[in-house]
């Protein structure tokens, strides 16, 4: 850094200690592409491609020659340009530890704490933690939780990850129970709590030695990068076709480049430019990387403030501001403190580590988190150019000149930002509201500053800057003028709110939607600012100005969050159980260590074959249209493109179907029915070339009017033919016995699966007889096999479908993997070469569909004591463009409508709407959560009507042993009353209800809510899919005593393989170390039922047990002859006698005799039930909420593996939390999917988990209808998260009462911040009433 030197085009960097030298690298290439494709380091995963999930996290280390120090920071490899790495060292998950050599403590502890399920996100989580430890070997628990703001996990529910890493914190020994201070043996306690509770274990201990963490044993920084540092501080220039990357080393060089290329993009972290190039298809011929220009990197204090270089990263800014706040008197650093608070919620740490303050300003985003603060603070910018020299530009009302435009001219360079000190009479605050608190873009944000005349409460000057209210950051100028000279009291608030209403107009249907909410936030933010300033001035001796102190305190700040805690309680195995018998033990997921080390192989990690090609889909951009022309000629002319594939290339059946009917076209031929429908595919020699070419296939459409929502489908009478209904009793009788009747409607939105591994397939054709191997991440390998065979026109025995592991499925890979695998197979068949395809996140979210949105319309009759006598329900689902599994989903909704409640007279009818959105499909819980949600909403409405606690109504309706459901099946062994009682008792519900009521009586703007919700989930495939209740397994014994197991189920993180190994362990009497499961493959298993319906352990466990018992029977004579021998001895003896040492086992669920016509018989095999109690706190001014505590009591029978079952409970609960309280799929009225990645679609993050999460497995429960008395658990707990939803609603009711509003109101799911805030109803919401439907076109619609 410093003076201009000779320019080089050589790139030198290190990866895991290996020196990499590249000549003139491609500026478009990312580090992730280089790691995976060139170095074949596949541990780092592609989860989103936009820096929003953290699956690609790696550590970058950089030497600072001025301070002679090495800094370590985590980055998103999917965004980091390979050109940015000159002179740097990269460490990936493979570089810190391996199962073949030595594990790193981070890898080991995460695995042993059960913190990895599907494992796709695990390497990124490992590297985030590893980087934290390299910078802080003993972090606090709060620092650990803060550290994961840029990482997502869809499986675990986050709790085991945090508790696993808690052992690294100060005051916690990494040896866990083996700590010498405990006097115990060398075991790792993977749970938060130890010991026992009434004979019930509260420890997920694994008996595994744990490695102490020693920072001195970390790999050294490559010495060459230190000793030859000047070599790496030279100017760089890398050129490829269409793009040039410059890295200047002095300001003069930057001036020259900007003079020559005035429209060149300045790049620091590539966090914005990378997104624009990849997703917005923008073209930047020249990029200037200003990362090594000292003048742009400096941070220095002046007499008037802090001067920050434009290239300073946001993490470095955080460090500098933290130092300044700590060393400078508080009145001077109020701007700094507000910026620091905002930076806590700015993206994830991987982004903050590379994104710069200058990039944030120059991007000029209208929803920038920082720009409103800079404008409100009056930040001054120093800019310069070769022609004009330097000048100072103030960030004021004239700075942002248009959408993403500023007053800085194209040839000028932003050099530094001056952040001013504040005075004692000056107060400053920043505000931000997003869908999710962590790592989310703003809906509305603001920076506010007020200065008082000395010694008074009179406003001398005030600045109010807002983002998210226009196409630029804007000042509320008229409001500012109106408030100058006013006294700081309640009258000023009223005046400000009236003026802000006209100052910040927003037309209905404006981009982004949520117009009334956004406008309400502008006044709510100001009110919060008013209360915050008032509160601070009270502390300084000023008068409170008409407000009671409790109101000021409750409204002046955000909801605070403590660090996470929790306890997991389960039964230990009987004291006499053999050590070799693994059933019931909390053993670690069998792939956990491979997943934490990055060694676990997923489809796209498979080694590339010779002559392999990559396929990219060509998809419809219209929701409903005729295909006039499809012209691939431009795509075919591009370098590296091999072919274009479409319907004309299919040798066999051109359609496929999820349930036997061939309803879906593999490639659309004449008409498209939704956005994202596959029209064709481009095949090229690299992934990047295939995707680039696919965008250049020219398609001309004749558009038709689409049907998008349920209500539009009703109007157009657009339904699939099948009507699903159940009825019991006589509604007329029930209503005649009722004292009251209520009618209503409720909606529950869709949900995107957001499995971390997107849909992926690879096909390897053989030269012989039409044979093909297909690798996919399908939950239903046999479906892929038969669909490929039918498409290629060959017999099924010529196709082998293989699944090694799946990076999360949740139902989304039951049927929807097929339309991805089929084009790949067609291309491989036509070209005779291996072909693979992995969808980008944005493609996956458009192509593959989601959970069904539902509307429930009901009429309920009940007595004055709260007893439901009659219940008439009509359910409507948005099934999308094809029926897929919608009939089965609706059947589950109709059969699950009762939840846990006996209702004597009930009729439920379900209709499936045919619309022009991507086909809705299976999702964890199928349709049961939607049906149960309708009923719980009805009970909540009844409770308000009767002024009776909801828990009273719920508890008096719980099924008793032997009572019949509305499909006339007896509810046996459900344990509902006991579950309810234990949850209410363990959660201290009665006492906490009093505490919540007391809190609410004393707090106006923060409210708490509490709710208990039960769930009952039927296990097994129901009619018409009853035939799927079967499985087979193949178990082979080898001469060395090892065992190989194959079964029907796919491992997708749920621990199915682990449980099957445990079943084998008991059935054969062998330790788990002797048993191995490789993959699920149709050359060993003739037909694999889908791994779904929470039946994987039941079906496959029965088949594995059967096969093992057959083998055990064959070995019995040899065991009797040599009772002291081992399995190897017995197998060798049997082999010598030519006894078969492999056995095929089978299992089918008996007794499922339900008769649809008679509505009689056994509908489900059994029921899995549970109860949850949740407490929340909401912010009435913004709509934010925090889950303070959740207690779950779940009946899983005799658990095969309590650690896995608890992991499934917590993971399902958090996915349900997303469904009910966070995740909102947005589709425009025209049918365009707007939520296409983690930037726009928010799943729960680490800080969404309950602050206190307690999970108890019901003691003394058994289930005679499943393997070893266990119960399926994958789906049932999901609905328990509705306890959070109804606790939120409980809190809103208190706010409405304070505002003089009725407690009765409708709250649709999900309970987003918008819906929470607008339901609270107060003087601020009343300012902005919702316009009449039909008077405007909304930005997005509820499906």
């Amino acid at each position: 850094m410093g003076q201009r030197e000779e320019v080089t085009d050589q790139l030198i960097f290190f990866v895991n200690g290996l020196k990499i030298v590249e000549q003139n690298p491609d500026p478009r290439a990312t580090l992730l592409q280089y790691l995976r494709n060139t170095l074949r380091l596949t541990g780092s995963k592609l989860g989103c491609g936009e820096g929003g999930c953290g699956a690609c996290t790696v550590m970058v280390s950089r030497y600072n020659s001025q301070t002679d120090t090495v800094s370590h920071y985590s980055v998103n490899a999917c965004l980091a340009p390979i050109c940015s790495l000159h002179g740097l060292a990269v460490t990936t998950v493979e570089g810190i530890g391996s199962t073949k050599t030595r594990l790193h403590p981070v890898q080991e502890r995460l695995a042993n704490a059960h913190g990895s399920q599907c494992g796709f996100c695990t390497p990124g989580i490992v590297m985030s933690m590893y980087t934290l430890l390299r910078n802080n070997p003993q972090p606090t628990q709060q620092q650990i939780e803060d550290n994961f703001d840029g990482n997502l996990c869809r499986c675990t529910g986050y709790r085991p990850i945090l508790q696993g890493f808690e052992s690294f914190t100060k005051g916690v020994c990494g040896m866990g129970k083996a700590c010498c201070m405990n006097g115990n043996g060398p075991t790792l306690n993977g749970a938060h709590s130890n010991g026992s509770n009434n004979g019930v274990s509260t420890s997920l201990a694994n008996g595994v030695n744990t490695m102490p963490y020693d920072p001195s044993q970390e790999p050294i920084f490559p010495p060459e990068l230190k000793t030859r540092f000047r070599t790496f501080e030279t100017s760089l220039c890398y050129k490829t076709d269409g793009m040039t990357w410059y890295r200047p080393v002095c300001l003069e060089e930057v001036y020259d480049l900007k003079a020559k290329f005035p429209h060149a993009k300045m790049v620091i972290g590539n966090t914005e430019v990378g997104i624009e190039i990849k997703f917005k298809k923008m073209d930047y011929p020249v990029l200037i990387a200003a990362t090594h220009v000292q003048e742009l990197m400096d941070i220095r204090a002046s007499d008037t403030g802090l001067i920050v270089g434009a290239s300073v990263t946001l993490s470095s800014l955080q460090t500098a501001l933290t130092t300044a706040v700590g060393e400078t008197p508080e009145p001077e650093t109020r701007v700094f403190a507000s910026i620091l608070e905002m930076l806590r919620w700015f993206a994830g740490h991987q982004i903050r580590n590379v994104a710069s303050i200058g990039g944030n300003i120059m991007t000029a985003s209208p929803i920038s988190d920082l720009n409103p603060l800079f404008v409100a603070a009056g930040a001054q910018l120093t800019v310069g150019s070769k022609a004009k020299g330097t000048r100072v530009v103030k960030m004021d009302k004239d700075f942002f000149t248009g959408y993403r435009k500023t007053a800085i001219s194209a040839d000028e360079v932003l050099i530094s930002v001056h952040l001013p000190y504040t005075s004692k009479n000056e107060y400053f605050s920043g505000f931000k509201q997003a869908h999710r608190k962590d790592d989310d873009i703003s809906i509305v944000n603001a920076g506010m500053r007020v200065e008082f005349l000395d010694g008074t409460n009179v406003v001398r000057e005030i600045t109010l800057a807002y983002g998210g209210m226009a196409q630029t950051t804007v000042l509320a100028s008229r409001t500012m003028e109106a408030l100058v000279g006013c006294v700081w009291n309640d009258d000023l608030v009223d005046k400000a709110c009236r003026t802000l209403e006209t100052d910040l107009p927003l037309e209905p249907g404006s981009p982004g939607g949520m117009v009334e909410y956004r406008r309400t936030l502008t006044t709510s933010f100001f009110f919060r600012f008013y209360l915050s300033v008032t509160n601070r001035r009270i502390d300084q001796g000023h008068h409170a100005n008409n407000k009671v102190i409790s109101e000021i305190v409750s409204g002046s700040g955000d909801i605070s969050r403590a660090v996470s805690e929790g306890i997991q309680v389960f039964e230990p195995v009987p004291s006499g159980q053999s050590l070799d018998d693994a059933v019931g033990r909390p053993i670690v997921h069998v792939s956990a260590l491979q997943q934490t080390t990055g060694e676990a192989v997923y489809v796209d990690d498979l080694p590339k074959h010779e002559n392999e090609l990559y396929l990219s889909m060509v998809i419809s951009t219209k929701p409903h249209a005729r295909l006039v022309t499809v012209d691939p000629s431009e795509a075919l002319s591009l370098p590296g493109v091999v072919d274009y594939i479409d319907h004309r290339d299919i040798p066999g059946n051109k359609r496929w179907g999820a349930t036997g009917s061939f309803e879906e076209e593999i490639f659309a031929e004449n008409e498209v029915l939704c956005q994202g429908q596959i029209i064709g595919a481009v095949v090229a020699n690299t992934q990047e070339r295939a995707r680039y070419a696919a965008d250049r296939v020219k398609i001309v459409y004749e558009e038709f009017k689409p049907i998008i929502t349920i209500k539009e489908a009703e109007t157009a009478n657009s339904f699939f033919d099948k009507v699903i209904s159940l009825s019991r009793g006589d509604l007329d009788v029930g209503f005649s016995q009722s004292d009251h009747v209520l009618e209503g409607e409720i909606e529950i939105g869709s949900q995107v699966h957001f499995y971390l591994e997107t849909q992926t397939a690879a096909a390897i054709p053989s030269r012989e007889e039409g044979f093909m191997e297909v690798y996919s991440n399908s939950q239903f390998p046999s479906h892929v096999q038969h669909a490929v065979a039918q498409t290629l026109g060959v017999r099924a025995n010529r196709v082998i479908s293989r699944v090694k592991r799946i990076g999360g499925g949740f139902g989304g890979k039951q049927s929807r993997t097929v339309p991805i695998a089929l084009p790949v197979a067609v291309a491989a068949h036509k070209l005779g070469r291996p072909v693979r395809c992995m969808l980008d996140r944005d493609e996956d979210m458009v192509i593959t569909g989601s959970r069904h949105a539902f509307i429930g319309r009901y009429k309920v009759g009940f007595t004055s004591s709260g007893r439901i006598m009659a219940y008439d329900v009509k359910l409507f689902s948005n099934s999308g463009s094809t029926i897929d599994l919608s009939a089965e989903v609706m059947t589950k909704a109709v059969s699950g409508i009762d939840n846990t409640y006996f209702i004597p007279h009930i009729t439920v009818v379900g209709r499936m709407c045919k619309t022009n959105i991507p086909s809705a499909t299976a999702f964890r819980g199928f349709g049961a959560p939607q049906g149960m949600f309708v009923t719980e909403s009805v009970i909540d409405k009844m409770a308000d009507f009767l002024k009776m606690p909801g828990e009273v109504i719920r508890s008096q309706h719980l099924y008793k042993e032997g009572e019949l459901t509305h499909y006339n099946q007896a509810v046996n062994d459900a344990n509902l009353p006991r579950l309810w009682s234990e949850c209410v008792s363990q959660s201290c519900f009665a006492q906490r209800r009093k505490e919540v009521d007391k809190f609410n009586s004393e707090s106006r703007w923060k409210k708490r809510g509490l709710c208990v919700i039960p769930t009952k989930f039927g296990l097994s495939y129901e009619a018409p899919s009853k035939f799927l209740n079967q499985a087979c397994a193949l178990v082979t014994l080898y001469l060395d005593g090892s065992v190989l197991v194959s079964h029907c189920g796919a491992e997708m993180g749920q621990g199915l393989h682990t449980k099957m190994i445990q079943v084998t362990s008991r059935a054969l009497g062998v330790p788990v170390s002797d048993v191995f499961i490789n993959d699920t493959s149709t050359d060993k298993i003739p037909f694999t039922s889908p791994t779904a319906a929470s039946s994987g352990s039941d079906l496959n466990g029965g088949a594995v047990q059967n096969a093992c018992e057959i083998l055990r029977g064959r070995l019995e004579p040899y065991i009797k002859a040599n009772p002291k021998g081992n399995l190897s001895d017995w197998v060798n003896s049997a082999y010598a006698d030519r006894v078969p040492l492999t056995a095929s086992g089978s299992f089918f669920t008996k007794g499922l005799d339900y008769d649809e016509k008679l509505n009689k018989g056994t509908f489900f095999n059994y029921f899995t039930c549970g109860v949850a109690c949740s407490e929340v706190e909401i912010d009435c001014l913004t709509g934010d909420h925090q889950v303070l505590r959740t207690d779950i009591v779940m009946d899983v029978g005799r658990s095969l593996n309590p650690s896995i079952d608890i992991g499934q409970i917590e993971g399902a609960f958090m996915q349900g939390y997303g469904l009910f309280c966070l995740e909102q799929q947005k589709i425009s009225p025209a049918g365009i999917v707007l939520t296409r990645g983690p930037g726009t679609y928010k799943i729960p993050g680490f800080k969404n988990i309950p602050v206190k999460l307690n999970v108890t497995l019901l003691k003394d429960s058994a289930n005679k209808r499943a393997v070893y008395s266990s119960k399926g658990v994958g789906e049932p707990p999901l609905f328990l998260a509705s306890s959070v939803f109804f606790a939120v609603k409980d809190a809103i009711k208190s706010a409405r009462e304070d505002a003089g509003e009725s407690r009765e109101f409708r709250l649709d799911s999900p309970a987003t911040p918008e819906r929470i805030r607008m339901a609270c109803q107060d003087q601020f919401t009343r300012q902005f009433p919702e316009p009449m439907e039909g008077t405007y076109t909304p930005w997005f619609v509820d499906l």
Side-chain angles (χ1 to χ4, degrees), residues 794-815:
V794 300
R795 306 292 292 277
N797 62 357
R798 305 300 174 88
V799 178
I800 295 178
S801 174
R802 299 187 187 276
V803 176
K804 174 66 175 175
R805 61 171 52 83
I806 304 173
F810 318 116
K813 293 172 181 173
Q814 180 172 339
S815 64

Side-chain angles (χ1 to χ4, degrees), residues 814-923:
Q814 180 172 339
S815 64
R816 305 314 296 178
T817 304
V818 174
I820 309 306
L822 294 182
V824 172
V826 170
H829 175 83
K830 177 183 179 182
L831 301 173
R833 294 169 65 176
V835 177
R836 80 169 72 193
C837 172
M838 180 179 185
L839 296 183
D840 268 348
R841 176 64 58 187
D842 63 321
E843 294 174 314
D844 192 283
M845 291 181 71
V846 170
I847 293 173
T848 61
S850 59
R851 186 188 294 275
H852 293 69
F854 267 65
I855 290 180
R857 298 196 181 102
Y858 57 85
K859 180 180 179 181
V860 61
F862 52 96
T863 67
S864 295
S865 63
R867 175 66 66 175
I868 300 175
M869 303 308 298
Y871 189 30
D872 186 10
V873 192
K874 293 178 175 57
L875 298 177
F876 300 86
S877 69
N878 193 329
S879 300
S881 56
T882 63
I883 196 167
D884 190 73
L885 298 170
S886 294
E888 290 77 3
V889 169
M890 182 58 79
T891 299
K892 195 72 172 177
V894 168
S895 63
I897 195 77
D898 59 333
N899 193 10
T900 60
Y901 310 124
F902 176 78
I903 302 171
H905 306 283
I906 179 173
T907 296
V908 54
V909 178
R911 298 294 308 271
M912 297 164 286
C913 300
K914 185 176 184 179
T915 60
N916 297 116
I917 65 171
S919 182
T921 189
F923 201 135

Side-chain angles (χ1 to χ4, degrees), residues 31 56-64 69-77 80-81 84-92 127-135 147 221 268-269 291-292 297 313 315-316 349-355:
L31 171 58
C56 64
T57 302
V58 299
M59 186 181 82
V60 173
S61 303
R62 178 174 178 174
Y63 176 63
N64 186 325
T69 57
V70 176
S71 60
H72 309 288
Y73 53 96
S74 54
V75 305
N76 294 117
S84 68
L85 298 172
H86 187 64
L88 306 181
V90 175
T91 304
T92 71
M127 291 311 298
S128 285
M129 186 66 200
Y130 176 77
T131 308
L132 175 63
L133 292 179
R134 290 301 301 268
N135 290 298
N147 184 62
F221 184 73
I268 305 298
T291 55
H292 283 61
M297 304 293 292
T313 66
S315 291
S316 296
H349 66 280
Q350 299 96 324
I351 296 294
R352 295 194 301 271
N353 286 338
V354 295

Side-chain angles (χ1 to χ4, degrees), residues 721-1032:
D721 291 338
K722 190 168 185 178
V723 178
I724 296 169
S725 64
L726 284 172
S727 183
R728 199 239 337 247
D730 187 323
L731 284 178
D732 290 337
V733 171
F735 281 117
S736 70
Q737 296 171 344
S738 301
D739 299 320
H740 312 283
V741 175
L742 292 175
E743 296 184 58
E745 176 182 285
I746 197 74
E747 297 184 19
I748 178 170
S750 59
Q751 183 182 27
V752 176
H753 299 85
F754 212 98
Y755 29 67
L756 265 292
E757 179 199 28
T758 58
Q759 299 278 6
T760 313
I764 298 96
S766 170
R767 296 179 182 177
E768 299 183 18
E769 305 181 43
F771 176 76
M772 180 177 287
E773 283 185 284
V774 180
Y775 294 83
S776 73
N777 50 10
S778 172
Q779 296 174 229
F780 196 175
S782 285
H783 191 191
V784 172
Q785 174 196 20
H786 286 82
V788 168
Q790 291 161 346
T791 300
L792 299 184
V794 300
R795 306 292 292 277
N797 62 357
R798 305 300 174 88
V799 178
I800 295 178
S801 174
R802 299 187 187 276
V803 176
K804 174 66 175 175
R805 61 171 52 83
I806 304 173
F810 318 116
K813 293 172 181 173
Q814 180 172 339
S815 64
R816 305 314 296 178
T817 304
V818 174
I820 309 306
L822 294 182
V824 172
V826 170
H829 175 83
K830 177 183 179 182
L831 301 173
R833 294 169 65 176
V835 177
R836 80 169 72 193
C837 172
M838 180 179 185
L839 296 183
D840 268 348
R841 176 64 58 187
D842 63 321
E843 294 174 314
D844 192 283
M845 291 181 71
V846 170
I847 293 173
T848 61
S850 59
R851 186 188 294 275
H852 293 69
F854 267 65
I855 290 180
R857 298 196 181 102
Y858 57 85
K859 180 180 179 181
V860 61
F862 52 96
T863 67
S864 295
S865 63
R867 175 66 66 175
I868 300 175
M869 303 308 298
Y871 189 30
D872 186 10
V873 192
K874 293 178 175 57
L875 298 177
F876 300 86
S877 69
N878 193 329
S879 300
S881 56
T882 63
I883 196 167
D884 190 73
L885 298 170
S886 294
E888 290 77 3
V889 169
M890 182 58 79
T891 299
K892 195 72 172 177
V894 168
S895 63
I897 195 77
D898 59 333
N899 193 10
T900 60
Y901 310 124
F902 176 78
I903 302 171
H905 306 283
I906 179 173
T907 296
V908 54
V909 178
R911 298 294 308 271
M912 297 164 286
C913 300
K914 185 176 184 179
T915 60
N916 297 116
I917 65 171
S919 182
T921 189
F923 201 135
R924 194 178 204 164
F926 242 47
Q930 293 97 313
M932 290 188 282
F933 176 77
V934 173
T935 297
E936 293 296 345
S937 297
V938 170
I939 290 177
D940 184 78
K941 187 170 184 176
M942 287 171 51
D944 288 334
F945 180 85
L946 294 171
K947 296 181 173 54
M948 179 183 295
E951 61 270 15
V952 172
I953 298 176
R954 292 183 172 99
S955 62
Q956 71 183 7
H957 282 89
L958 293 176
Y959 279 111
K960 298 177 180 66
E961 188 75 6
E963 284 188 323
L964 298 180
T965 65
H966 57 301
Y967 39 92
N968 292 305
Q969 177 175 344
V971 178
N972 294 320
D973 300 320
N975 296 311
L976 280 164
R978 185 153 72 98
L979 286 163
W980 180 275
S981 176
E982 290 199 17
C983 184
V984 168
S985 173
Q986 291 180 21
S987 66
C988 307
F989 178 84
Q991 177 61 33
R992 288 169 58 208
R993 179 74 262 176
K994 295 176 183 176
E995 293 169 357
V996 165
D997 291 342
K998 183 175 185 295
F999 177 91
N1000 288 342
S1001 69
E1002 298 171 351
S1003 175
R1004 174 61 186 93
W1005 301 110
K1006 302 286 193 312
K1007 294 292 183 180
R1008 291 184 178 176
L1010 187 66
C1011 188
V1012 185
I1013 293 288
T1015 190
K1016 171 181 64 66
F1017 193 92
L1019 267 293
S1020 67
Y1021 291 99
E1022 63 271 18
S1025 301
K1026 186 168 63 175
F1027 67 93
L1028 293 175
N1029 291 294
Q1030 60 176 307
C1032 55

Side-chain angles (χ1 to χ4, degrees), residues 3 8 273 386 419 468 593 854 956 960 1033 1096 1210 1259 1321:
Q3 297 183 357
T8 179
V273 171
K386 184 174 183 178
L419 302 175
L593 291 178
F854 267 65
Q956 71 183 7
K960 298 177 180 66
E1210 293 172 338
K1259 187 181 177 182
Q1321 284 292 304

Side-chain angles (χ1 to χ4, degrees), residues 267-445:
V267 178
I268 305 298
N270 199 46
T271 57
E272 182 71 24
V273 171
I275 299 296
E276 291 177 339
I277 292 174
K278 181 176 177 64
F279 297 105
K280 299 180 181 179
K281 315 300 180 186
M282 299 183 76
D283 184 28
Y284 296 117
V286 178
L287 298 176
I288 302 172
T291 55
H292 283 61
V293 179
Q294 189 60 50
E295 297 91 331
L296 305 183
M297 304 293 292
D298 286 338
I299 302 176
R300 66 184 190 278
S302 72
D303 293 339
T304 57
L306 201 64
I307 299 173
V308 183
S311 294
V312 170
T313 66
L314 299 181
S315 291
S316 296
L317 177 62
Q318 278 181 294
T319 301
L321 291 176
T322 301
T323 300
V325 168
E327 296 177 351
T328 311
E330 184 276 332
E332 297 180 26
T333 60
R334 290 169 181 165
V335 167
F336 302 171
S338 294
I339 294 173
L340 273 174
E341 177 64 19
M342 186 65 71
L343 287 172
R344 286 182 59 200
W345 315 113
F346 189 109
H349 66 280
Q350 299 96 324
I351 296 294
R352 295 194 301 271
N353 286 338
V354 295
S356 68
I357 183 173
N360 186 82
I361 293 171
M362 295 305 296
T363 297
S365 169
I367 51 173
S368 161
D369 290 345
L370 293 177
N371 283 341
L373 275 67
F374 294 156
V375 171
Q380 293 184 325
L381 312 180
T382 299
V383 301
S385 67
K386 184 174 183 178
K388 306 172 203 170
T390 61
R391 67 186 179 107
V392 175
V393 179
K394 186 174 182 180
M395 293 187 71
D396 57 16
K397 62 182 179 63
D398 299 319
F399 179 73
F400 295 104
T401 58
Y403 180 68
R404 293 188 178 266
K405 295 179 181 179
T406 72
I408 300 175
S409 59
D411 65 335
E412 287 183 310
V413 178
L414 175 57
I415 299 170
S416 64
V417 183
H418 175 267
L419 302 175
Y421 293 133
T422 48
S423 67
K424 67 175 183 177
N425 292 326
E426 201 173 354
Y427 298 86
F428 193 92
S429 292
F431 303 92
K432 172 181 176 177
Q433 186 57 43
H435 289 284
R436 186 180 69 204
K437 195 73 173 176
D438 272 345
D439 189 12
D440 194 4
I441 57 175
S442 297
I443 298 170
V444 176
N445 52 28

